[in-house]
Amino acid sequence: MEFEVIIGLEVHAQLLTKSKIFCSCSTVFGAEPNTHTCPICLGMPGVLPVLNKKVVDLTLKVALAINCRIAHYSRFARKNYFYPDLPKGYQISQYELPLAEHGHIDILTNGKPRKIGITRIHMEEDAGKLLHDEGMGATSSSYVDLNRTGVPLIEIVSEPDIRTPEEAGEYLKNLRSILQYLEVCDGNMEEGSFRCDANISLRPVGQQKLGTRAELKNMNSFKNVQRALEYEIKRQTSILDEGASVIQETRLWDEAKGITLSMRGKEEAHDYRYFPEPDLVPLIIDDEWIEGIKESLPELPNEKKDRFVKDYQVPEYDAEVLTTSKSLADYFEECVELFPNPKVVSNWVMGELLRRLKGDDKEIDERPVSPGSLAKILKMIEDGIISGKIAKTVFGETYLTGGDPEEIVQKKGLVQVTDQGELLKIVESVLIKNAKEVEDYKKGKSKLFGFFVGQVMKETKGKANPKLVNEILKMKLNL
Ligand SMILES: [Zn+2]
């Protein structure tokens, strides 16, 4: 039987505020355990939470950027469950009245545009962190660090509109890029500031009713999300093919084994006994507040992409790659400012620069070659001081040492040979040394032209001006 895959994603993103959502404790990562705590985030009896306005501002930014409808009236709710990292015995979240609903994100899969619906965005507090020591049996202990308790999160829930693991990856990349452009979240999946859970089910093609879903957790990279979904599609297909039924449950992705494992039966919302948080007043947001946030929104990836195509006349594909991150887009624009030939800049950024960064697993933010250095290299090619080939060598040297491209060219004597007389001598000696090839060439083996060019380049260690070499060779070979 043919099945249709239905995927919905839940993303938890940590907001970049200085203090926690309901108290003034610091959110800085990596402090000594339990030093960023107070009676409020420790869940002491009798304390009262106070909402951090900045959390609302940042959430509104996201809501507007992904086309959500903002609720003028929303409220917080208690989600009750027991776990040792949750001191109050409940998490303050939003339930029946979230801050924003009914949005969408536009993605491209295989070159085709797709609209993925956003069900809702709500604000909530993070729980603490358990640390388990490696001891065995009676000596083993667990510790709890409550620094993370009360750190602000937003949960962004998608509609079940995603159909393939690739689309899921595309959606996540787009969403993360938007959050980074907005500077509301650093998007670091390994450190857990951008986490994704996936709901996945299968149904026979043509059937309206959704199949039973599994919820997948513990995927800490885009690649792992895709791998886990691919595994789950195979697992559920084989269950359904046998005529059995999928169990609704939460499954953990095991990266090392490449499989998902049953963790627990999936809770339903009613298991959490949600009820309105009595210690916080409802959140009222007026139009003025929304307008203020709207005005503060930066240019978003899709807008930037369109502008790159229009203003710089780079191909759509280039614009797409160049705007994948704000840092890369900024880098490109800084270069174009200094060397106003956008297509040439784009070729070098997408070629040499990204290839090397990818190979070294580095980020553009580390800027091993500054926009100024790249512009200098391109200017030297344009002025005929170095050839394109030598330029790559210079780029490599700058990339590794951070040295100034002009100094590298001077010091290493890489200036292009453009002296006609000098080149003529070299061409003549090459033709004499390769008399046999010259004969073959004249008999019609025209491919040998490239060989002669190569020999001249070799003699000059790549420094000969290729255009001049071509001209002189043509002349000497009587063309
Ligand atoms: Zn606190």
Side-chain angles (χ1 to χ4, degrees), residues 3-196:
F3 295 106
E4 183 183 23
V5 177
I6 310 286
I7 300 168
L9 298 177
E10 290 171 15
V11 166
H12 283 90
Q14 185 184 325
L15 297 176
L16 289 169
T17 56
K18 289 201 177 75
S19 55
K20 295 185 180 181
I21 182 168
F22 300 121
C23 63
S24 57
C25 291
S26 167
T27 55
V28 170
F29 183 79
E32 280 287 298
N34 300 306
T35 53
H36 292 170
T37 55
C38 73
I40 293 174
C41 55
L42 290 175
M44 298 292 174
V47 297
L48 288 173
V50 177
L51 178 60
N52 180 346
K53 179 173 175 286
K54 188 83 186 177
V55 171
V56 184
D57 285 342
L58 299 187
T59 311
L60 286 174
K61 279 191 178 190
V62 178
L64 290 169
I66 59 178
N67 316 292
C68 285
R69 212 179 297 157
I70 289 159
H72 290 283
Y73 180 100
S74 69
R75 65 178 309 160
F76 287 92
R78 285 190 185 179
K79 181 181 184 180
N80 297 281
Y81 66 93
F82 172 78
Y83 206 66
D85 64 5
L86 189 72
K88 294 196 293 285
Y90 60 85
Q91 177 192 27
I92 303 180
S93 179
Q94 292 193 297
Y95 181 53
E96 84 283 30
L97 296 172
L99 182 67
E101 291 178 283
H102 310 299
H104 69 264
I105 290 181
D106 297 305
I107 62 165
L108 273 181
T109 40
N110 301 324
K112 281 191 208 123
R114 285 261 289 131
K115 196 176 283 242
I116 307 297
I118 302 290
T119 313
R120 57 188 271 148
I121 306 176
H122 66 252
M123 300 169 279
E124 62 187 27
E125 56 181 347
D126 207 348
K129 197 177 175 186
L130 292 180
L131 305 153
H132 307 285
D133 89 10
E134 300 295 311
M136 294 288 284
T139 63
S140 69
S141 326
S142 287
Y143 303 88
V144 64
D145 176 6
L146 297 176
N147 284 346
R148 210 176 67 182
T149 312
V151 162
L153 300 178
I154 48 172
E155 182 171 335
I156 303 163
V157 183
S158 88
E159 288 288 304
D161 288 345
I162 298 164
R163 293 291 171 269
T164 63
E166 295 73 39
E167 269 183 15
E170 218 32 58
Y171 167 87
L172 288 175
K173 274 182 212 153
N174 268 278
L175 179 58
R176 187 174 72 157
S177 168
I178 291 168
L179 299 183
Q180 288 173 329
Y181 265 75
L182 294 170
E183 295 175 347
V184 302
C185 171
D186 65 21
N188 191 324
M189 282 185 96
E190 267 115 43
E191 280 176 17
S193 48
F194 184 91
R195 299 168 233 163
C196 172

Side-chain angles (χ1 to χ4, degrees), residues 171-453:
Y171 167 87
L172 288 175
K173 274 182 212 153
N174 268 278
L175 179 58
R176 187 174 72 157
S177 168
I178 291 168
L179 299 183
Q180 288 173 329
Y181 265 75
L182 294 170
E183 295 175 347
V184 302
C185 171
D186 65 21
N188 191 324
M189 282 185 96
E190 267 115 43
E191 280 176 17
S193 48
F194 184 91
R195 299 168 233 163
C196 172
D197 300 333
N199 286 302
I200 173 167
S201 64
L202 269 55
R203 67 178 171 196
V205 170
Q207 179 182 303
Q208 281 300 307
K209 194 173 161 277
L210 292 173
T212 307
R213 68 177 197 267
E215 183 179 0
L216 310 182
K217 284 183 177 290
N218 198 36
M219 304 161 293
N220 65 353
S221 69
F222 291 140
K223 206 171 129 208
N224 279 321
V225 172
Q226 284 187 225
R227 284 177 67 202
L229 287 169
E230 275 155 18
Y231 174 82
E232 198 57 23
I233 291 169
K234 279 191 205 131
R235 187 186 74 88
Q236 293 189 15
T237 303
S238 71
I239 291 173
L240 295 171
D241 275 342
E242 281 171 21
S245 32
V246 173
I247 301 165
Q248 182 168 334
E249 61 184 351
T250 300
R251 299 180 68 85
L252 280 188
W253 169 245
D254 184 325
E255 185 184 349
K257 295 198 181 110
I259 58 172
T260 64
L261 294 163
S262 178
M263 178 195 178
R264 56 164 191 250
K266 169 70 184 159
E267 309 81 356
E268 296 290 345
H270 61 248
D271 292 328
Y272 289 114
R273 301 293 187 271
Y274 279 99
F275 65 86
E277 169 58 57
D279 290 341
L280 287 163
V281 293
L283 178 59
I284 312 284
I285 294 177
D286 58 19
D287 290 334
E288 205 184 327
W289 193 347
I290 296 173
E291 279 311 308
I293 297 290
K294 237 182 224 168
E295 276 163 30
S296 76
L297 286 184
E299 185 181 38
L300 293 165
N302 275 337
E303 295 163 359
K304 207 183 270 288
K305 193 181 100 190
D306 293 345
R307 180 168 63 81
F308 277 20
V309 172
K310 193 168 151 271
D311 290 2
Y312 299 126
Q313 320 235 304
V314 291
E316 180 110 6
Y317 175 75
D318 291 33
E320 173 97 33
V321 174
L322 294 168
T323 54
T324 42
S325 80
K326 187 169 177 293
S327 320
L328 185 62
D330 289 348
Y331 183 95
F332 170 76
E333 293 207 275
E334 276 177 56
C335 280
V336 172
E337 182 97 354
L338 299 164
F339 185 80
N341 187 334
K343 183 57 191 151
V344 171
V345 173
S346 168
N347 287 346
W348 277 76
V349 171
M350 293 184 20
E352 285 302 292
L353 182 61
L354 287 187
R355 183 178 60 78
R356 281 179 182 267
L357 289 174
K358 200 173 169 200
D360 295 348
D361 207 13
K362 274 191 182 172
E363 295 288 332
I364 183 77
D365 303 272
E366 295 171 51
R367 297 196 166 198
V369 176
S370 71
S373 291
L374 178 54
K376 275 185 186 173
I377 293 172
L378 301 182
K379 186 84 178 50
M380 284 192 282
I381 305 175
E382 192 182 60
D383 293 347
I385 296 170
I386 53 173
S387 64
K389 192 161 173 267
I390 292 289
K392 286 188 182 171
T393 312
V394 177
F395 184 92
E397 186 82 12
T398 305
Y399 181 94
L400 292 174
T401 64
D404 178 77
E406 284 168 354
E407 274 172 29
I408 292 169
V409 168
Q410 290 306 329
K411 244 190 241 160
K412 300 212 158 185
L414 298 172
V415 175
Q416 188 161 253
V417 180
T418 49
D419 182 325
Q420 291 229 23
E422 194 181 331
L423 283 179
L424 185 65
K425 272 187 215 152
I426 297 166
V427 168
E428 278 169 348
S429 85
V430 162
L431 294 182
I432 288 165
K433 264 189 237 164
N434 300 284
K436 168 92 176 53
E437 282 78 7
V438 173
E439 217 173 287
D440 291 348
Y441 179 82
K442 287 188 173 164
K443 279 182 196 151
K445 219 171 161 191
S446 58
K447 270 189 197 159
L448 281 167
F449 193 83
F451 165 78
F452 298 129
V453 175

